[in-house]
Amino acid sequence: MILLLILVGGAYSYFQYKQGLSQASDGKFEDDKKNEEQFKGDLPENGKINVLLLGSDSRGEAHSRTDSILIGQYDQKSHQPKLVSIMRDTYVDVPGHGKQKINSAYAFGGPELLRKTIEQNFGVDINYYAVVDFQGFSKIADTIAPKGVKVNVPQNLIDDMKLDLEPGYQNLHGKDLLSYVRFRHDAQSDFGRVARQQEVLSKLKTEATRIKNVFKLPKIVGLLDPYIETNVDSKSKLIVGKDFITGQAHNVKTLRIPLDNSFQNERHNVGDVLSIDLEKNKAALQEFLSAK
């Protein structure tokens, strides 16, 4: 009986995985292994896994600038997930390229140069990376939250993105949800976009813990594969995935760099930038990631 259950479960998982993969057949990362070979992050220590999370909307370039730069951390001992958003216009030293906006590091040298840039400026070690195709985000979100994600939609987002929605609280799906997390043409600009990204990622984490998603896990993995380029090893995926799906992971703690009152808006030869108090932000980031 146990053997039969294992066989049936394995066949179901394989079928679900293939079903997810078939729905994601247009993902652009299906055969891309170059960055995985170049990334030189150290192995995790003390049970804490740091992953560089990048949102990509490339239109054929080897490396476009990435509009979303986050550090995701998961502590395997305390089961605490953390999410740090780094503003794309943060003005830093990029190794070999001088002072630049931090998102240009990805354009110059992919995830590895961005890892070096974060380490040099903020003293934070990044173990792994994951580049997410924005178009794949829509399919992944719909699989995790088929009833949508409830958010407060402002009128100016509807006007700017030409969405067929009413302002106020709505359950957004797919492309509309993607528009919500990418919108920045309001008074808050990129700061508002970062807040919306953290809001939606936290809500998707909550949705992933619902019991029905345990059975969807193989399908979700199949959907993820072509849309995410990553070097996260299988063991780490299983540990983190199990904790999130079974509800062991706590609520997500978030931080934004730069901190309030720690930067100035300036204009340099690379355009409009956020000139930051580096030491203040470096200390805050290290304290946030090292705390339990």
Side-chain angles (χ1 to χ4, degrees):
M1 182 62 72
I2 293 173
L3 179 60
L4 180 61
L5 288 173
I6 292 173
L7 290 173
V8 170
Y12 171 81
S13 297
Y14 179 76
F15 173 77
Q16 285 282 299
Y17 174 81
K18 284 295 187 180
Q19 189 180 45
L21 196 61
S22 68
Q23 293 179 14
S25 58
D26 58 339
K28 68 178 183 177
F29 294 133
E30 201 162 5
D31 300 313
D32 196 342
K33 298 294 182 183
K34 183 178 178 181
N35 288 324
E36 185 175 338
E37 296 169 355
Q38 294 177 343
F39 198 80
K40 303 300 181 185
D42 293 331
L43 292 175
E45 294 182 357
N46 303 319
K48 291 186 177 182
I49 301 172
N50 290 332
V51 183
L52 183 60
L53 304 172
L54 307 172
S56 171
D57 190 25
S58 174
R59 293 172 174 80
E61 310 96 323
H63 293 299
S64 58
R65 293 196 180 198
T66 175
D67 284 343
S68 301
I69 302 173
L70 304 99
I71 300 172
Q73 184 189 83
Y74 188 68
D75 189 329
Q76 300 172 56
K77 296 179 181 177
S78 66
H79 306 292
Q80 179 62 61
K82 296 179 181 180
L83 197 61
V84 180
S85 296
I86 302 179
M87 303 290 292
R88 64 176 189 165
D89 291 338
T90 302
Y91 199 44
V92 295
D93 283 310
V94 176
H97 298 273
K99 296 284 283 187
Q100 300 281 345
K101 296 181 182 183
I102 195 167
N103 70 335
S104 68
Y106 180 73
F108 290 137
E112 170 60 9
L113 184 57
L114 187 49
R115 181 195 69 79
K116 288 181 178 178
T117 300
I118 292 172
E119 183 178 33
Q120 177 173 304
N121 288 272
F122 299 103
V124 171
D125 293 327
I126 306 292
N127 311 119
Y128 304 108
Y129 78 93
V131 184
V132 182
D133 177 6
F134 275 134
Q135 301 311 312
F137 168 83
S138 300
K139 290 187 177 182
I140 294 166
D142 282 346
T143 301
I144 295 175
K147 294 183 179 180
V149 176
K150 189 175 183 178
V151 295
N152 190 10
V153 182
Q155 182 65 56
N156 50 1
L157 184 150
I158 295 171
D159 297 338
D160 186 75
M161 297 292 188
K162 298 180 174 60
L163 302 180
D164 185 19
L165 296 169
E166 293 293 329
Y169 283 96
Q170 303 280 350
N171 288 321
L172 297 189
H173 300 263
K175 292 182 179 180
D176 290 342
L177 186 62
L178 178 61
S179 295
Y180 179 79
V181 299
R182 299 195 69 191
F183 175 69
R184 64 185 180 91
H185 296 146
D186 60 5
Q188 292 183 302
S189 188
D190 276 339
F191 291 91
R193 176 164 63 177
V194 163
R196 282 186 286 274
Q197 288 173 355
Q198 291 187 342
E199 172 197 8
V200 169
L201 288 174
S202 294
K203 288 181 176 179
L204 285 175
K205 177 264 177 189
T206 300
E207 284 293 324
T209 64
R210 299 185 186 277
I211 188 66
K212 61 181 181 294
N213 281 319
V214 174
F215 300 102
K216 284 185 179 179
L217 185 57
K219 183 178 180 180
I220 293 171
V221 172
L223 263 173
L224 287 173
D225 276 355
Y227 292 115
I228 297 182
E229 176 199 328
T230 183
N231 68 333
V232 178
D233 62 82
S234 298
K235 181 181 178 182
S236 297
K237 287 179 185 177
L238 287 172
I239 290 171
V240 176
K242 174 184 67 68
D243 285 1
F244 272 72
I245 291 296
T246 58
Q248 291 188 61
H250 301 310
N251 291 333
V252 180
K253 293 182 179 180
T254 62
L255 179 73
R256 190 204 69 219
I257 296 294
L259 308 171
D260 289 338
N261 304 314
S262 71
F263 66 92
Q264 293 183 343
N265 293 295
E266 295 180 356
R267 186 167 184 81
H268 293 269
N269 61 325
V270 296
D272 294 325
V273 303
L274 300 176
S275 182
I276 68 171
D277 182 332
L278 185 59
E279 290 306 313
K280 183 176 182 179
N281 282 279
K282 178 179 179 180
L285 178 57
Q286 292 184 1
E287 182 181 356
F288 179 75
L289 292 177
S290 62
K292 293 184 178 180

